[in-house]
Amino acid sequence: MSSISLAERRQAMGFCIYCWLGLASLVVVVWASFAYLSLDPMRLFTAESRGYMGDFVRRFFPPDFSADYLQRIGKGALETLAISAIGTLIAAAAGLLLALPASGRFGGVAKSLTRFLLNFLRSVPELVWAALMVLAAGLGPFAGTLALALHTTGVLGRLFAESLENAPREPALALVESGAPATLVFVYGTLPLVTPQLIAYSLYRWEMNIRMATILGFVGAGGLGQMLYYELSLLHEAQASSVIMAMLALVVVVDAVSAWVRRGQIRAGG
Amino acid sequence: MMSALPSALPPTAPLRDPAALSRAGWTLAALLVLWPLLHIAQFRPGDLFDARNLKVMGNFVGQFFPPNTSPEFLGFAFKATLETLAMATAGIALAMLLAVPLGLALSHSLSISRIGPGPGRGLGEVIRAATRFVLLVLRGIPEIVWALLLVRAFGLGPAAGVLAVAVTYGGMLGKVYSEILESGDTRPARALLESGSGRLMAFFYGLLPGSAQELASYTVYRWECAVRASVIMGFVGAGGLGQLMDQSMKMLNGGEVSSILIIFLLLVLLADAISVAIRRLLA
């Protein structure tokens, strides 16, 4: 140990002034954040707040597992699934329609206009769309469906446009040269080449939308989220905790199914 | 070639799509599944054109232009934006405090009992399974649900948002940290463990040098996600820009909502730029 010089040690530790400066500024930024919010993380660990938290958590147990309530949760979960499925399906259809101009099939002006529209749809978060759609369509799952459809159209439209742009042109050209009309050229020459990719993208977004649909209810857009919000406002903690468990179970099941499907695809060489 | 193809077919063969039957079958099956789903989702496009809804929405959206740019409101919005950024930063800092021990406990590359069939292997697997379950619950419940619960425990304001980010992102970071530690070169750590070093020393000298860059850049990426999540969490009362937007929406103040939306888009671009810049520096 003593035969190693200080300089060698420094080198071995990878000492550099910029790393330390970076770490120091990071510490300052984190400290400033806590200070700006006037939060003291240490206060969380006092005996008083521990006791308070314990009481708060205890109110959620035992969860309400009565058959009657489980049935209502099942209905809520089904509503969540329906919202996500219909929302994604509308988005896939609208996304494909918008992807046609966005991939430059109708000229440069149409391309930049639709790209702007898709970017706008995509950058407004689902929950904000849901709050707006509750105003436009009233409380309930329909508002949630519309919100998911709007946001997902932006995401899928862009992805679809990229797949269309990258699809090989030879089959379409062959059809054009043999005199097929433009619609049929697209349907038989381009669409079959990109369909697997479009379906993969849509399924992936559906998976994300199931998760999102569970929380859209917080602004009144139906599904499990609306149930949770309602039970918590009535201080029905036992019911709320069963809804939360249902949400968790839904997420875990969706994760497992998607991992299983993906493994199957890899094994099939897809 | 062109003339050879038709002559191979009988002259009366109708031109038909060979896949038509299966396509029609799948479409029919899809419609049969879809019909009850439409019913459950209460799919009634007519509601959009309901006179009352049209009026509310028309008035509201009409106010979007021009956006509210009064200095007083912009001052509020600026404070809320800083609050959102601070929530994300403080939340990720706490999330790391949670994720590092859990990630280290979960990682197989720091397991001494795995090197040989030593004592404590069963206990190690039990601890790992428990850690994995805790991380699953932390990240499986969406951050906004945590925020909604924590608002009830800590009252309205950013404290609930910070803790919600800490809990959810602690779960995500812990899982990914352990995966990063297992995916890199684990031989140095193993050599250290085999020659009798402790787990922490094996981590600092055997694993960290090789994976520090990846760990840091993933954390920065999650910070960027936390900024977006912090805005959303305001909708359940956890402070920041989202809470301001929720208030403006409830008052149907279109001008304020459109300003906040613009600020939100700029904030997301800014967080994205910061995250890309830091990750490029790290690379």
Side-chain angles (χ1 to χ4, degrees):
Chain A
M1 280 298 266
S2 53
S3 63
I4 302 170
S5 74
L6 190 65
E8 276 173 321
R9 262 190 118 159
R10 263 193 194 171
Q11 206 183 1
M13 283 167 72
F15 179 87
C16 69
I17 188 85
Y18 292 108
C19 314
W20 289 109
L21 275 181
L23 274 181
S25 51
L26 200 65
V27 170
V28 169
V29 167
V30 169
W31 177 81
S33 303
F34 279 106
Y36 185 77
L37 300 171
S38 27
L39 280 183
D40 180 6
M42 286 307 135
R43 256 197 359 232
L44 282 176
F45 301 106
T46 60
E48 189 197 345
S49 74
R50 264 209 309 267
Y52 179 66
M53 280 310 285
D55 281 347
F56 180 70
V57 171
R58 224 162 286 136
R59 272 188 279 159
F60 284 86
F61 292 95
D64 183 353
F65 284 144
S66 64
D68 190 41
Y69 198 69
L70 283 184
Q71 206 177 357
R72 279 183 54 199
I73 287 185
K75 252 175 102 177
L78 204 61
E79 197 172 281
T80 298
L81 279 177
I83 292 172
S84 61
I86 306 278
T88 312
L89 206 66
I90 296 175
L96 186 58
L97 271 183
L98 288 173
L100 291 176
S103 63
R105 276 166 193 265
F106 301 106
V109 180
K111 179 173 172 170
S112 24
L113 277 179
T114 37
R115 291 237 151 176
F116 179 77
L117 174 68
L118 291 174
N119 278 335
F120 171 73
L121 289 173
R122 195 162 49 97
S123 13
V124 177
E126 292 96 334
L127 202 75
V128 176
W129 276 127
L132 287 170
M133 286 305 112
V134 166
L135 293 176
L139 289 170
F142 183 47
T145 312
L146 287 176
L148 283 185
L150 283 166
H151 179 85
T152 313
T153 299
V155 178
L156 287 182
R158 192 186 125 115
L159 290 172
F160 287 4
E162 269 160 24
S163 329
L164 286 180
E165 275 177 357
N166 295 333
R169 296 183 184 282
E170 290 79 10
L173 277 178
L175 286 174
V176 168
E177 278 165 12
S178 58
T183 326
L184 289 183
V185 168
F186 175 72
V187 171
Y188 287 95
T190 310
L191 202 53
L193 293 172
V194 293
T195 313
Q197 210 175 359
L198 303 195
I199 290 178
Y201 282 143
S202 309
L203 284 179
Y204 161 70
R205 281 314 297 194
W206 184 32
E207 184 195 331
M208 298 188 69
N209 280 344
I210 293 178
R211 240 167 286 168
M212 194 44 77
T214 57
I215 59 161
L216 286 184
F218 289 178
V219 293
L224 285 174
Q226 200 165 343
M227 277 176 84
L228 178 62
Y229 201 80
Y230 174 80
E231 301 292 4
L232 277 178
S233 6
L234 294 178
L235 300 177
H236 289 167
E237 277 92 358
Q239 280 76 8
S241 82
S242 358
V243 177
I244 293 174
M245 285 181 188
M247 284 179 168
L248 188 62
L250 195 64
V251 170
V252 170
V253 167
V254 167
D255 260 5
V257 169
S258 124
W260 178 67
V261 168
R262 222 158 279 157
R263 264 205 303 278
Q265 264 179 349
I266 291 168
R267 219 173 287 138
Chain B
M1 188 68 195
M2 291 291 292
S3 56
L5 194 61
S7 66
L9 294 165
T12 51
L15 282 169
R16 67 174 204 95
D17 186 344
L21 201 67
S22 83
R23 267 187 216 145
W26 281 111
T27 314
L28 198 70
L31 283 177
L32 279 179
V33 176
L34 214 57
W35 185 248
L37 285 185
L38 282 175
H39 189 71
I40 294 170
Q42 297 177 18
F43 192 75
R44 287 190 298 258
D47 284 4
L48 279 176
F49 304 99
D50 177 69
R52 204 164 44 100
N53 285 341
L54 268 184
K55 196 168 153 238
V56 172
M57 196 61 191
N59 279 340
F60 182 55
V61 173
Q63 287 176 17
F64 271 40
F65 307 97
N68 188 337
T69 50
S70 74
E72 196 199 356
F73 176 71
L74 286 185
F76 276 137
F78 181 68
K79 269 193 193 141
T81 310
L82 277 186
E83 196 171 276
T84 301
L85 280 172
M87 270 164 70
T89 312
I92 287 290
L94 289 180
M96 280 177 75
L97 282 186
L98 192 67
V100 170
L102 288 174
L104 289 185
L106 188 61
S107 173
H108 274 134
S109 23
L110 288 175
S111 162
I112 292 179
S113 55
R114 260 172 104 84
I115 291 175
R121 183 157 186 172
L123 181 70
E125 286 308 317
V126 169
I127 292 177
R128 239 165 244 127
T131 314
R132 194 170 295 127
F133 179 74
V134 169
L135 287 174
L136 177 80
V137 172
L138 294 185
R139 68 170 193 281
I141 297 177
E143 57 264 52
I144 195 167
V145 175
W146 283 119
L148 184 69
L149 293 174
L150 292 165
V151 159
R152 258 144 244 275
F154 293 91
L156 292 175
V162 169
L163 289 176
V165 170
V167 168
T168 322
Y169 287 78
M172 291 181 199
L173 289 177
K175 175 173 178 262
V176 175
Y177 283 176
S178 84
E179 278 167 6
I180 290 176
L181 292 182
E182 281 170 16
S183 68
D185 185 1
T186 57
R187 282 169 305 177
R190 198 185 157 111
L192 286 172
L193 288 176
E194 277 172 352
S195 55
S197 96
R199 289 187 184 80
L200 268 184
M201 286 301 124
F203 164 68
F204 278 118
Y205 290 95
L207 284 179
L208 194 60
S211 50
Q213 186 252 323
E214 209 179 332
L215 292 172
S217 97
Y218 188 78
T219 312
V220 172
Y221 162 70
R222 277 296 165 195
W223 172 79
E224 181 198 330
C225 300
V227 171
R228 250 170 293 166
S230 304
V231 176
I232 297 301
M233 283 187 309
F235 273 82
V236 293
L241 210 52
Q243 197 167 357
L244 201 63
M245 173 139 52
D246 190 42
Q247 285 161 8
S248 306
M249 265 186 181
K250 279 186 180 139
M251 292 187 296
L252 292 179
N253 191 330
E256 287 184 11
V257 171
S258 64
S259 313
I260 296 173
L261 270 178
I262 294 170
I263 294 171
F264 167 71
L265 297 183
L266 293 178
L267 179 65
V268 169
L269 283 180
L270 176 76
D272 190 54
I274 292 177
S275 145
V276 168
I278 295 182
R279 276 186 283 166
R280 195 165 298 154
L281 269 180
L282 285 171

